[in-house]
Amino acid sequence: MLYKIGQKVVYPNHGIGIIEQIDVRHINGEQSEFYLLRLSATNSLVMVPTQNADEVGLRRPIPSSQWEKLLKSLSQDFAAPPTDWKDRFKDLSEKMRSGDLFSVAEVLKTLTYLNQIKPLSFREKQMLERARYLVISELALVSGLSEKQIEPKVDQALRGACNKHSRAFARANGSKIGH
């Protein structure tokens, strides 16, 4: 058993949840064990088969020692996203599904930057909001700070990343870009 009742976990693309129960259910004539996970964002209950917990990406929150490292990575420059929106959306969706908070932070940086230079599609806007929520809620949990205290730290880091990316883009293209 990887997780215990009352333990906080992260469910990919949905965020923080608490293991409320570990239950045995009969499905298709077979007995299976499930984590009953209450998602903090929606207060909904999700059943995750204990044997598939790793495959679906259920994980512990990042260690509290990592939250400042994540904030620092949010302020770093990032790779230019694919220019074709379908390729970009596919790439960013894979990062979101990975459940890895550092990958979700990359999505947040990329979409924050793109949102500053052009209108995002409806789906990209939704992904930006989801990535922002996932990063801020997990950082709040592991840092012991409130989401309202974490938000300005995330915003400041994102401004740094966007500024660095704009300068790097301008150097690469031999032009100046203003915001």
Side-chain angles (χ1 to χ4, degrees):
M1 194 70 47
L2 292 173
Y3 305 106
K4 297 180 174 118
I5 294 173
Q7 186 172 1
K8 290 183 179 175
V9 294
V10 179
Y11 190 58
N13 226 6
H14 295 278
I16 308 287
I18 297 174
I19 304 287
E20 283 193 350
Q21 195 175 344
I22 300 170
D23 200 10
V24 175
R25 303 266 171 115
H26 294 278
I27 298 176
N28 295 332
E30 290 189 30
Q31 188 172 318
S32 299
E33 195 171 52
F34 292 87
Y35 293 117
L36 294 176
L37 174 66
R38 176 78 57 190
L39 297 175
S40 298
T42 59
N43 200 32
S44 56
L45 198 58
V46 176
M47 290 176 43
V48 178
T50 57
Q51 66 200 37
N52 295 358
D54 283 341
E55 288 174 39
V56 299
L58 196 66
R59 64 173 177 81
R60 289 176 170 79
I62 63 170
S64 58
S65 60
Q66 294 284 301
W67 78 272
E68 288 178 340
K69 181 180 177 184
L70 183 72
L71 266 182
K72 185 175 182 183
S73 79
L74 276 173
S75 69
Q76 305 289 309
D77 192 10
F78 52 94
T83 52
D84 179 63
W85 76 269
K86 286 182 259 174
D87 292 339
R88 181 174 63 239
F89 190 79
K90 182 179 180 232
D91 179 51
L92 297 177
S93 293
E94 287 173 9
K95 288 180 179 178
M96 291 293 289
R97 280 191 301 273
S98 77
D100 175 69
L101 192 60
F102 284 84
S103 294
V104 173
E106 286 297 312
V107 171
L108 177 58
K109 283 194 293 193
T110 301
L111 290 176
T112 298
Y113 173 74
L114 289 174
N115 194 39
Q116 290 178 355
I117 60 172
K118 67 184 189 88
L120 296 178
S121 71
F122 177 75
R123 291 171 68 188
E124 285 177 320
K125 282 181 191 172
Q126 285 183 310
M127 188 183 292
L128 172 59
E129 290 170 12
R130 171 64 43 196
R132 183 173 172 80
Y133 167 76
L134 294 172
V135 167
I136 288 173
S137 62
E138 191 164 345
L139 281 177
L141 174 70
V142 301
S143 69
L145 300 172
S146 71
E147 289 183 18
K148 288 205 180 304
Q149 291 171 303
I150 286 292
E151 279 184 58
K153 295 177 184 306
V154 167
D155 291 340
Q156 181 181 2
L158 289 170
R159 275 191 300 279
C162 290
N163 289 338
K164 287 175 187 170
H165 193 75
S166 290
R167 287 192 300 269
F169 182 82
R171 277 194 306 276
N173 291 294
S175 64
K176 295 271 183 198
I177 293 180
H179 283 266

